[in-house]
Amino acid sequence: MDFENQINSIIETIGERKALVNTEEATKMTFIMPFLKALGYDVFNPSIVVPEYTADIGIKKGEKVDYAIFKDGKPFILIEAKNHTENLDNHNNQLIRYFNTNPNIKFAILTNGIEYRFFTDIEQKNLMDKTPFSVINLEKLKPRDIKVLQRFICTDLNLDEILNIAIEKKYYRNIQDIFKNEIENPSDEFTSFFAKQITEKRMTNAVLEEFRNYIKKSFKEIINDLAYDKITNIKNNLQAVNDDEDEEEIDNNKEIVTTEEELQSFYIVKSILAETDTNLDDITYKDTLSYFSILYQNKVTKWICRLYFNNSKKFITFPDGTSQNIEKLEDIYKFKENILNSLNSRK
């Protein structure tokens, strides 16, 4: 069973057994241990996963953290576990104390078996940050969360790479949190920034309050419009796919012709992937009546992208559900990040 399927199996277990799991110990056994096993750690090998790891703090001896994960004989991840019913907001300080006892510790995880908060020492070396660089809720799992978790699979560990990604993730999260707060409750500075570009009124409390309401409503409309456009685009593209499939059923004997345009697109995608360490011989294609599919390792289940060039409206789709219109072949270069992400998800 591959990693994503194992995680989905844990999510199913959470849904089925959450009501029956009433203690911290039960949370560990039912949710957390299977999670560590999915990451490839031998939970029954005390040289790799050490339960009740002793983390002495100053003059306080015998302080224990729920789990320590070892690499090359040294602990590099500490895990503090709580009952799945607990809010994790009140438990950071305890984990901070544990983290700071040993310079070999690179990561700390605070979890209740459903939500996982990942910490490291971005702000000051060997001192755990107060805020996590990533928060993953298995009951609200996103495709990008799977990619974060895959970085921690024991056979694929690259600590420097994880730390670099952690820096990006932390600042992304901080920016998103700030932006979300400003949208929901615009500060005076944020409100003033917009108001001064629209009106010459003096920025009194009354004016700020007036524009605060305008800003909240404006952002709400923008978000609704973006969501509507996304849904409409997906519906249109799905309809185009269905139309193609209907035509294929009507004429099963129709000959598949790989066009020059499709081949050029294939070579554009290969040129993008040439920037990676991928063996380009593993990048192949399969043409169908409905679409032109670019594959990894010649497996239809590992498609990187699909090109729909058989209608007047051309577009490209990716495994994560993203769909983009194409006006000219050069547009494919605009979707470089989508293509690289697709390939990484197939490896």
Side-chain angles (χ1 to χ4, degrees):
M1 186 184 296
D2 66 21
F3 176 71
E4 189 168 352
N5 286 334
Q6 290 182 70
I7 293 298
N8 286 331
S9 178
I10 294 170
I11 294 171
E12 289 178 9
T13 299
I14 290 171
E16 292 170 357
R17 303 181 185 176
K18 185 166 62 173
L20 303 174
V21 175
N22 299 312
T23 66
E24 182 179 306
E25 201 60 35
T27 298
K28 292 178 188 177
M29 295 301 297
T30 311
F31 302 152
I32 298 173
M33 295 283 272
F35 178 83
L36 296 179
K37 288 177 67 177
L39 289 172
Y41 297 101
D42 186 349
V43 296
F44 301 112
N45 186 339
S47 68
I48 297 175
V49 178
V50 180
E52 296 298 312
Y53 176 71
T54 301
D56 291 337
I57 303 170
I59 61 174
K60 296 182 68 175
K61 304 298 180 182
E63 291 284 325
K64 296 183 183 299
V65 65
D66 290 294
Y67 299 101
I69 297 180
F70 278 62
K71 177 178 170 61
D72 300 327
K74 298 176 182 179
F76 79 104
I77 299 177
L78 294 181
I79 302 173
E80 181 67 9
K82 300 298 175 185
N83 191 331
H84 73 87
T85 59
E86 287 197 45
N87 186 317
L88 297 178
D89 291 341
N90 302 321
H91 299 288
N92 285 15
N93 291 335
Q94 186 179 11
L95 195 54
I96 287 173
R97 295 200 306 272
Y98 295 151
F99 187 100
N100 299 344
T101 62
N102 191 330
N104 292 313
I105 304 299
K106 299 301 181 186
F107 302 99
I109 301 173
L110 178 61
T111 181
N112 58 12
I114 296 174
E115 183 178 304
Y116 287 80
R117 299 184 181 184
F118 293 80
F119 298 84
T120 187
D121 55 353
I122 293 171
E123 300 301 329
Q124 189 172 348
K125 189 173 178 61
N126 296 328
L127 293 177
M128 192 183 97
D129 298 330
K130 292 183 179 179
T131 58
F133 66 83
S134 186
V135 176
I136 295 175
N137 188 317
L138 295 184
E139 291 185 315
K140 302 175 183 176
L141 196 66
K142 303 178 182 68
R144 64 173 177 264
D145 294 336
I146 289 289
K147 294 176 183 178
V148 172
L149 295 177
Q150 285 175 325
R151 303 284 183 183
F152 286 90
I153 293 175
C154 68
T155 54
D156 300 328
L157 279 175
N158 183 323
L159 298 185
D160 290 336
E161 185 178 88
I162 297 175
L163 286 169
N164 288 334
I165 291 171
I167 293 171
E168 293 182 2
K169 288 287 184 182
K170 179 176 180 179
Y171 293 142
Y172 289 164
R173 274 181 48 79
N174 289 345
I175 290 170
Q176 289 165 7
D177 288 343
I178 292 169
F179 194 61
K180 182 179 178 182
N181 289 334
E182 290 290 1
I183 289 174
E184 293 176 349
N185 187 25
S187 65
D188 288 351
E189 294 81 1
F190 191 73
T191 304
S192 179
F193 171 79
F194 288 97
K196 285 179 178 179
Q197 299 182 63
I198 299 170
T199 181
E200 295 182 0
K201 294 179 181 179
R202 191 165 62 88
M203 294 295 108
T204 64
N205 288 337
V207 170
L208 288 173
E209 192 59 35
E210 176 188 358
F211 275 88
R212 204 184 323 273
N213 290 327
Y214 296 152
I215 289 170
K216 290 166 72 173
K217 290 178 181 178
S218 295
F219 275 109
K220 185 175 181 180
E221 287 188 3
I222 289 171
I223 292 169
N224 288 339
D225 288 346
L226 288 172
Y228 176 80
D229 290 343
K230 181 73 173 178
I231 291 170
T232 301
N233 191 39
I234 290 172
K235 283 182 177 178
N236 289 340
N237 289 337
L238 285 175
Q239 184 59 52
V241 172
N242 291 334
D243 290 344
D244 284 346
E245 290 175 348
D246 289 343
E247 290 177 10
E248 184 173 343
E249 289 178 6
I250 292 170
D251 189 1
N252 288 326
N253 295 320
K254 184 177 178 181
E255 183 180 359
I256 296 174
V257 178
T258 301
T259 66
E260 184 65 27
E261 196 174 39
E262 289 170 332
L263 287 174
Q264 287 181 33
S265 300
F266 172 65
Y267 290 117
I268 288 174
V269 172
K270 285 192 75 169
S271 71
I272 292 172
L273 298 179
E275 300 177 17
T276 70
D277 59 359
T278 304
N279 182 351
L280 293 183
D281 289 338
D282 285 337
I283 309 303
T284 58
Y285 67 82
K286 178 178 176 62
D287 201 359
T288 72
L289 290 175
S290 299
Y291 53 78
F292 181 83
S293 188
I294 298 178
L295 313 175
Y296 177 60
Q297 293 181 336
N298 205 32
K299 295 182 179 179
V300 293
T301 56
K302 290 189 174 184
W303 60 280
I304 298 169
C305 60
R306 287 173 177 169
L307 299 157
Y308 293 83
F309 285 176
N310 295 332
N311 294 309
S312 57
K313 185 178 181 181
K314 297 180 175 62
F315 61 94
I316 183 172
T317 64
F318 300 95
D320 64 1
T322 304
S323 180
Q324 301 285 355
N325 292 328
I326 294 176
E327 298 295 333
K328 54 186 184 298
L329 292 184
E330 290 78 5
D331 289 345
I332 296 173
Y333 287 106
K334 297 178 183 177
F335 314 127
K336 174 181 177 180
E337 185 175 349
N338 302 83
I339 292 169
L340 295 177
N341 287 341
S342 293
L343 177 63
N344 289 334
S345 72
R346 294 324 197 191
K347 288 187 175 181

